[in-house]
Amino acid sequence: MRITSTRAVLPFSLSALVLAFSASAAEGSRWQQPSAGYSQSVHGGVGLLQVPTARMAPEGNISINYSDNQEYRFWSVSAQLFPWLESTVRYTDVRTRLYSDSPGFSGDQTLKDKGIDVKFRLWQETALLPQVSLGFRDFGGTGFFESEYLMLSKQAGPLDFHLGIGWGYLGTAGNTDNPFCELRDSFCKRPRGFSGQGGKIDYDRFFKGPASLIGGVEYQTPWQPLRIKLEYEGNNYSLDRAGLLEQDSRWNFGAVYQWRDFDFNVNYQRGNTFGFGVSYAANLHEASMFKVKAAPRVVPAQPKVASFAEVERNILLNDLLYEGGFLVKSSALDNGVLTIYGNQMSYRDHEEAVERIGRILAAELPADISSYKIVNLGGQLPMLETVVDAADFKAVARNENIGASFTSTYVRQDVSEQTLAEYKPIYNKGFYTNLEMFWIQTFGSPEEFYMYQGGVILGAGYSFNQNFSVHGASKVTVLENFDKFNFKVDALDTPLPRVRTYVREYVTRSKITMDTLFGNWQDRLAPNLYGQLYGGYLETMFGGVGGEVIYRPVDKNWAVGFDLNYVRQRSYENDWDFFDYKVLTGHANIYWKPEFLTDSQLTFNIGRFLAKDVGVNVDFAKRFRSGIVLGAYAAVTDASSADYGEGSFTKGFYISIPFDLFSITPALGRGKLPWIPISRDGGQMLNRPSMLYNLTEQRSPFFD
């Protein structure tokens, strides 16, 4: 079952993302144009047509591609995560084959397959030496187009030459000897089939079997939008999933026309087949939206008032909210130090938020206040203390210290004991409501390639104090095509408990369902240490009790936490009942931002999963300057690939987009668009309704 889901303020889809990016550009967003010559290949990823090259797109580039010919249609997304790493995910539609032999199962839908590619730059081009890259195409799963290649690229004026060697799909013609055969006989023959239940990386096939020389040239015509491609490929099409394809020539040629952020291409392949395609490219580093916001407050040379008693406090509070995005919950004044406690409601950039708040305070407060303490709350708990030196801040604001920055005027630190003692919020209990939109989607289902369910989640709760609250939410489906599901019961015979594979039953039971209903207690346990307890209906499929602690120092590149949960499986027949299945699940959670990978985070969740399998889930996330995050994860446990079923192990990808990129006013929050190729029962974690890592994000920001 291929189910992905997201809950956010906006229902994102791939098409909506493209439209939003285009709208952003029209409203003033800045997009780094893709460099000429770095167009996409048929399969996705920078290349010629069938042949990849050693070239890389500029860091942060993302390209959404569609390619079509007589036998295949390719949908792909290629992202340049680092200057030296390109990654591509792809869906292939095999037009000559059906999804299955059973019309009742999949109708007349054609066969679909997913693939993942990576390419590593080993050497950057110099005046004398070519660029060198090593790549792996379709290296996991059923391996329709599984290949390895080593490519060299060298530019000479308007010509870009490419030469290399390919194995697997790129090398079936065998027009040269496999150099690894000279090292060991086992490299002379390539194993057939795939290991496990698909989805595994078959290292034992790498660089084995026939090899072929591949290459070509790309010509930049005097007319800048047009480029011409000519290639010699190493595939003889004898092993294609579409069947034995006729090949009259191994020379392919095509043309690419660039218009704004789009590439349109036509090509002629195998001496007998026409093809075409289109790509949309943008740079994730440079995405931004034109903003309508108040100008930063000017700090006058002389204070407006002589004492704090003269300050118009209601006006100050309104200014802090509407100009600084800071909703004040409490305040204290002691020995010339003003402390304000509150929630940042608008600005996800901490530096901009502090500057705006500091300017307002510097303009409105008397000279005898020597420092400002800005205490950011997570929910109602003090999370972060920013101590601003008033004199230094005013000097920078008035341009008296040439070259000095606002960041030199304050320090970020853990909340001090004195600050905690002075925190006395006036409003810490009462009712609250919230509204979210949700979007569940599935790619590659047998009934329909793309299926969806969307609607709203209506939430409400009551806070008894700053630590304890109860919360409930109902899911209301507004639009969907999940009624096309033909078979709700997963027929796979597996010894693993069915913790996720009843998903069709859960998502199709009713238009209105109770999503969650739980109580939650949270508190600061010690310096840098936070904890919580929760119990109730915790997610769509499970309810129970649990707890979590996290140790997260301010502005460190690491954090560590633990969670432990005793849960029972909820019934998909109604909102209130439970099935008999129970499990004790929990993990040690390690969060690490390695210095050698810029703007990246690794998360390790080590422990026991919902199906009682034990192992580790590894999540890698890359953040771009715009705030967009691309991520991938995989869970490897003691459940065998045979027990797990199709896909062999849990894995998935996601893109997280700040709402600030879709708003003309500053905004917080994110939308998450995930892609889970196959979702089964092994390696599945509890979807806890509250996570301390999210609550403490502002202590050492990554996503914001």
Side-chain angles (χ1 to χ4, degrees):
M1 179 62 187
R2 303 162 173 84
I3 289 286
T4 64
S5 67
T6 181
R7 287 171 51 169
V9 177
L10 292 175
F12 288 116
S13 66
L14 197 58
S15 58
L17 182 61
V18 174
L19 292 174
F21 280 177
S22 300
S24 295
E27 292 292 336
S29 287
R30 302 184 305 276
W31 295 95
Q32 179 177 318
Q33 297 292 332
S35 297
Y38 297 138
S39 57
Q40 299 284 298
S41 68
V42 167
H43 293 259
V46 175
L48 294 169
L49 300 170
Q50 293 289 335
V51 174
T53 68
R55 297 300 183 197
M56 298 281 182
E59 182 184 14
N61 261 39
I62 186 169
S63 183
I64 303 170
N65 317 300
Y66 173 75
S67 182
D68 195 313
N69 64 27
Q70 185 173 332
E71 294 83 17
Y72 296 108
R73 283 181 289 198
F74 300 101
W75 295 269
S76 64
V77 177
S78 183
Q80 194 71 39
L81 298 179
F82 299 97
W84 47 270
L85 175 62
E86 174 193 87
S87 62
T88 302
V89 294
R90 174 181 54 256
Y91 260 105
T92 302
D93 177 13
V94 185
R95 296 170 126 171
T96 60
R97 295 180 59 183
L98 291 178
Y99 191 100
S100 76
D101 296 329
S102 172
F105 181 62
S106 58
D108 59 358
Q109 184 182 180
T110 51
L111 179 62
K112 304 296 191 297
D113 182 70
K114 56 196 169 295
I116 304 171
D117 308 345
V118 293
K119 181 167 64 176
F120 303 92
R121 188 184 68 198
L122 305 181
W123 182 267
Q124 192 166 6
E125 182 179 11
T126 66
L128 298 177
L129 297 176
Q131 186 155 301
V132 182
S133 292
L134 176 68
F136 301 85
R137 176 182 288 177
D138 204 2
F139 61 89
T142 53
F144 275 28
F145 307 102
E146 185 183 58
S147 311
E148 307 83 52
Y149 58 88
L150 181 69
M151 294 299 299
L152 289 73
S153 297
K154 190 75 180 76
Q155 189 166 4
L159 298 174
D160 201 14
F161 295 95
H162 313 283
L163 179 64
I165 184 171
W167 295 262
Y169 188 81
L170 290 170
T172 55
N175 63 28
T176 190
D177 293 333
N178 184 346
F180 292 103
C181 265
E182 302 298 324
L183 301 177
R184 185 177 296 178
D185 290 342
S186 61
F187 282 96
C188 297
K189 187 175 181 179
R190 192 177 185 93
R192 299 291 300 273
F194 53 87
S195 61
Q197 301 291 309
K200 297 181 71 174
I201 301 175
D202 289 314
Y203 302 101
D204 62 340
R205 291 214 294 260
F206 285 178
F207 308 107
K208 292 183 178 179
S212 293
L213 293 176
I214 55 179
V217 62
E218 191 164 3
Y219 171 60
Q220 172 61 67
T221 69
W223 186 34
Q224 281 300 118
L226 181 65
R227 298 181 67 87
I228 306 297
K229 297 182 177 184
L230 175 68
E231 71 174 16
Y232 180 79
E233 65 169 316
N235 183 19
N236 64 9
Y237 293 91
S238 61
L239 301 177
D240 264 62
R241 294 301 174 95
L244 178 61
L245 304 184
E246 183 179 350
Q247 184 182 46
D248 296 331
S249 173
R250 291 201 178 97
W251 289 96
N252 305 323
F253 61 88
V256 179
Y257 175 79
Q258 185 180 33
W259 177 74
R260 295 187 178 179
D261 296 329
F262 291 89
D263 277 352
F264 300 93
N265 68 80
V266 293
N267 54 73
Y268 189 62
Q269 303 175 46
R270 308 197 307 271
N272 54 33
T273 302
F274 284 99
F276 65 91
V278 60
S279 298
Y280 173 84
N283 192 279
L284 299 181
H285 275 314
E286 304 303 325
S288 65
M289 172 63 81
F290 170 78
K291 288 288 183 288
V292 176
K293 54 188 177 183
R297 184 71 66 89
V298 175
V299 178
Q302 298 297 325
K304 294 182 178 180
V305 294
S307 68
F308 188 74
E310 300 177 46
V311 175
E312 295 286 348
R313 300 185 189 184
N314 289 334
I315 295 177
L316 177 61
L317 294 178
N318 284 333
D319 290 346
L320 288 170
L321 177 59
Y322 293 108
E323 295 183 31
F326 195 74
L327 177 61
V328 177
K329 296 289 187 67
S330 179
S331 64
L333 180 61
D334 181 43
N335 293 325
V337 178
L338 176 67
T339 305
I340 55 174
Y341 306 79
N343 300 95
Q344 178 53 241
M345 309 297 292
S346 301
Y347 293 94
R348 61 186 178 93
D349 185 322
H350 179 78
E351 293 182 11
E352 181 180 7
V354 172
E355 179 187 344
R356 284 182 163 271
I357 295 170
R359 283 178 173 273
I360 295 169
L361 297 177
E364 300 297 329
L365 297 180
D368 60 353
I369 294 182
S370 59
S371 64
Y372 321 127
K373 285 185 180 180
I374 306 168
V375 182
N376 287 76
L377 306 179
Q380 297 195 63
L381 297 181
M383 284 289 159
L384 176 70
E385 180 175 289
T386 304
V387 183
V388 183
D389 185 288
D392 291 345
F393 187 93
K394 293 175 184 177
V396 174
R398 296 168 183 157
N399 295 316
E400 296 172 0
N401 292 342
I402 304 300
S405 66
F406 284 105
T407 57
S408 66
T409 68
Y410 60 82
V411 294
R412 289 163 45 94
Q413 62 188 33
D414 191 23
V415 185
S416 67
E417 294 300 325
Q418 178 184 352
T419 302
L420 287 171
E422 293 176 343
Y423 177 47
K424 296 178 175 58
I426 300 175
Y427 304 105
N428 61 2
K429 63 181 180 180
F431 287 99
Y432 61 87
T433 61
N434 67 292
L435 170 67
E436 299 180 15
M437 303 185 76
F438 75 91
W439 190 258
I440 302 173
Q441 59 189 8
T442 166
F443 295 89
S445 292
E447 298 90 344
E448 189 83 11
F449 175 70
Y450 182 69
M451 301 183 72
Y452 58 86
Q453 184 184 68
V456 296
I457 295 178
L458 306 173
Y462 185 84
S463 293
F464 293 89
N465 51 49
Q466 68 184 57
N467 302 113
F468 182 69
S469 64
V470 293
H471 182 84
S474 294
K475 186 173 75 171
V476 181
T477 299
V478 177
L479 69 165
E480 64 174 341
N481 65 351
F482 278 2
D483 57 346
K484 295 184 179 181
F485 280 141
N486 292 329
F487 300 95
K488 293 184 178 178
V489 179
D490 191 312
L492 180 68
D493 185 16
T494 172
L496 292 177
R498 294 299 181 87
V499 297
R500 292 300 185 203
T501 46
Y502 288 133
V503 61
R504 292 187 178 203
E505 285 81 353
Y506 285 103
V507 299
T508 59
R509 179 177 65 82
S510 174
K511 297 288 186 182
I512 302 176
T513 59
M514 182 183 72
D515 192 50
T516 59
L517 179 61
F518 63 95
N520 183 227
W521 174 88
Q522 298 173 335
D523 203 358
R524 180 182 187 269
L525 305 179
N528 301 313
L529 183 66
Y530 291 82
Q532 68 169 344
L533 298 172
Y534 43 82
Y537 297 90
L538 302 178
E539 54 141 287
T540 303
M541 302 183 191
F542 284 90
V545 295
E548 179 189 10
V549 293
I550 189 171
Y551 184 80
R552 191 171 190 178
V554 173
D555 290 336
K556 298 296 184 182
N557 66 344
W558 61 273
V560 62
F562 301 90
D563 68 88
L564 186 65
N565 312 275
Y566 183 71
V567 294
R568 187 172 179 178
Q569 190 171 28
R570 292 178 63 180
S571 170
Y572 50 71
E573 297 173 347
N574 59 59
D575 285 332
W576 307 102
D577 291 342
F578 289 87
F579 292 135
D580 291 334
Y581 181 72
K582 304 172 185 177
V583 60
L584 181 67
T585 178
H587 296 83
N589 307 302
I590 301 170
Y591 310 91
W592 179 39
K593 306 179 186 73
E595 295 179 356
F596 57 86
L597 292 175
T598 307
D599 294 324
S600 299
Q601 178 169 277
L602 285 166
T603 302
F604 303 91
N605 310 109
I606 307 165
R608 195 182 198 214
F609 294 83
L610 285 173
K612 301 181 181 178
D613 49 332
V614 177
V616 57
N617 182 82
V618 181
D619 183 293
F620 169 78
K622 165 68 176 178
R623 186 184 191 276
F624 299 91
R625 288 193 298 269
S626 62
I628 295 174
V629 174
L630 295 182
Y633 63 90
V636 180
T637 74
D638 58 0
S640 68
S641 59
D643 290 345
Y644 181 87
E646 184 183 358
S648 295
F649 64 96
T650 290
K651 51 190 168 294
F653 308 87
Y654 58 88
I655 179 171
S656 176
I657 308 168
F659 293 148
D660 190 63
L661 295 182
F662 299 90
S663 171
I664 62 172
T665 58
L668 300 178
R670 287 180 165 270
K672 187 176 182 181
L673 179 67
W675 176 52
I676 305 172
I678 301 288
S679 181
R680 302 210 59 81
D681 296 306
Q684 296 290 346
M685 299 177 66
L686 179 70
N687 295 322
R688 291 177 285 130
S690 174
M691 297 182 65
L692 290 180
Y693 189 78
N694 297 334
L695 182 70
T696 60
E697 168 69 12
Q698 55 195 319
R699 291 176 63 86
S700 54
F702 176 75
F703 286 94
D704 292 319

